[in-house]
Amino acid sequence: QVQLVDSGGGLVQAGGSLRLSCVASGLPFSGYNMGWFRQAPGKEREFVGRISWSGSIKAYADSVKGRFTIPRDNAENTVYLQMNSLKPEDTAVYYCVASTGWTTRSYDYAYWGQGTQVTVSA
C-alpha cells in the first residue's frame, strides 16, 4: 500500500521560513517524480513545484520561483518543500504527490499525501 505522509506545516509570520517533509512508502521512491500542490480556502488546487526522480530537474510555479525549493533524499524516501520569504498568500494546505510522469496537472498524480496546513500571518 502506497503512503505519502506530509508534515511540517504550521503558523509563521510573513518573511519567515518553513520546511515541509513527505515520507513515502510502498513504492519505488527513486523511480518516481515528486511534487507539491497547495489549496487555499475557496480556491482550486494549485501546482507548486516538482522534482525529477534523480533530483536533477526541478520546476516551480511562477508564484513561488526564487522562494521555494524542492530537495529530495532517495536514501530516506523523503522529499521536502523548503519555503522561504513566505507571504500571506502562501497560506494553504500543502500536498505531496508522486507520479511516474512529468506533469503539472493534478489528475496525473496517482498518489497524494494527506496534506499539511501552512498559515502565514501578515
Side-chain angles (χ1 to χ4, degrees), residues 1-6 22-29 32-34 77 96-100 109-114:
Q1 182 181 355
V2 175
Q3 264 196 315
L4 302 180
V5 180
D6 307 324
C22 171
V23 180
S25 61
L27 53 73
F29 184 75
Y32 274 75
N33 302 313
M34 302 297 294
N77 285 6
C96 167
V97 292
S99 175
T100 55
Y109 285 89
Y111 303 112
W112 290 71
Q114 82 285 2

Side-chain angles (χ1 to χ4, degrees), residues 54-95:
S54 65
S56 62
I57 304 172
K58 301 179 186 181
Y60 302 94
D62 287 344
S63 58
V64 306
K65 204 171 291 183
R67 300 187 298 121
F68 291 10
T69 59
I70 303 178
R72 68 186 291 165
D73 184 341
N74 284 349
E76 297 294 329
N77 285 6
T78 302
V79 64
Y80 304 93
L81 180 63
Q82 178 64 46
M83 304 184 292
N84 300 326
S85 303
L86 282 161
K87 305 175 181 180
E89 51 264 43
D90 294 319
T91 295
V93 177
Y94 284 73
Y95 299 89

